Amino acid sequence: MTEPTHADGGTTRGPLGPPPAGPGFAPKRALDAVLGDLRAVDGALYAAVAGTSTPALDRALRRLSHAADHSKVSLGIAAVLALSGARARHAALVGVGAVAVASASANLLGKRLVHRARPDREAARVTVDRHVPMPASASFPSGHTAAAVAFATAVGVVLPEAAVPLGALAGAVGYSRVHTGVHYPGDVAAGAVLGIASAAAALAAAPARVRQPNTFTAW
């Protein structure tokens, strides 16, 4: 059965026919192609980490990943900072606020908007020495990374001397989520971006005296 034709010989697209190949569809095709390439790179990086034998690191990164559950590492550091002077207490306050914003944004918004399935850890042959419990929530973005980066960024602004060690810790937390097989690298990258944005929001809401580190002039 043929589609109806116009007098000039052209066809009229039926409800089940292919969409018109007009110029307006080119950007969507290009975006789909780019996203497909990014997913391929993401999967390849995940597979590369899974396939690299690192027995000396497996136990430490598994413990770090588990310790970062519910931001226990960040909250523990905040408790220590709260006992370390006024400026450190201000940094702890802003850091905890940033963690709250990041956690809510990742878990209540991001994961519900982007329903990305968790990686297939068994298919990737992630060694059991790395395993932590596979979360039931969506994979994108990484909430652990978002909270750790948010805390490190917010505290680092108020307390610059803590920026490097906390930043390194946040990076290790993010990597541990890939190493243990529960996140793709893209989930971690998105979590880091969300963490920075959450820290900016927390800092913007904080009083000016909390945001600005103390400075001293040597005469």
Side-chain angles (χ1 to χ4, degrees):
M1 180 178 179
T2 60
E3 294 185 4
T5 59
H6 293 295
D8 60 1
T11 60
T12 301
R13 184 172 63 90
L16 301 180
F25 288 83
K28 184 180 185 303
R29 289 197 300 270
L31 177 61
D32 289 342
V34 170
L35 291 176
D37 288 347
L38 290 176
R39 283 192 293 268
V41 171
D42 206 15
L45 290 173
Y46 178 86
V49 172
T52 302
S53 178
T54 55
L57 295 175
D58 290 347
R59 180 174 296 181
L61 288 170
R62 185 187 67 202
R63 288 178 174 175
L64 175 61
S65 180
H66 181 68
D69 289 347
H70 309 295
S71 300
K72 291 193 296 286
V73 172
S74 296
L75 296 179
I77 295 172
V80 173
L81 290 175
L83 302 174
S84 306
R87 188 159 63 100
R89 282 197 298 273
H90 297 328
L93 178 63
V94 177
V96 170
V99 168
V101 174
S103 297
S105 300
N107 295 309
L108 300 181
L109 291 177
K111 292 180 183 292
R112 295 186 179 186
L113 293 175
V114 183
H115 302 284
R116 187 181 196 185
R118 293 277 175 173
D120 189 341
R121 189 163 55 183
E122 284 68 32
R125 297 183 178 179
V126 177
T127 177
V128 294
D129 290 340
R130 301 182 182 184
H131 283 197
V132 295
M134 180 67 76
S137 60
S139 189
F140 185 97
S142 168
H144 285 66
T145 306
V149 170
F151 182 79
T153 303
V155 172
V157 169
V158 181
L159 206 62
E161 57 268 33
V164 171
L166 289 181
L169 178 61
V173 168
Y175 175 74
S176 75
R177 301 303 284 171
V178 180
H179 194 85
T180 55
V182 298
H183 274 295
Y184 292 103
D187 304 333
V188 170
V193 172
L194 180 59
I196 293 171
S198 299
L203 288 163
R209 67 184 181 86
V210 174
R211 294 196 301 268
Q212 298 298 326
N214 290 342
T215 56
F216 300 92
T217 303
W219 295 93

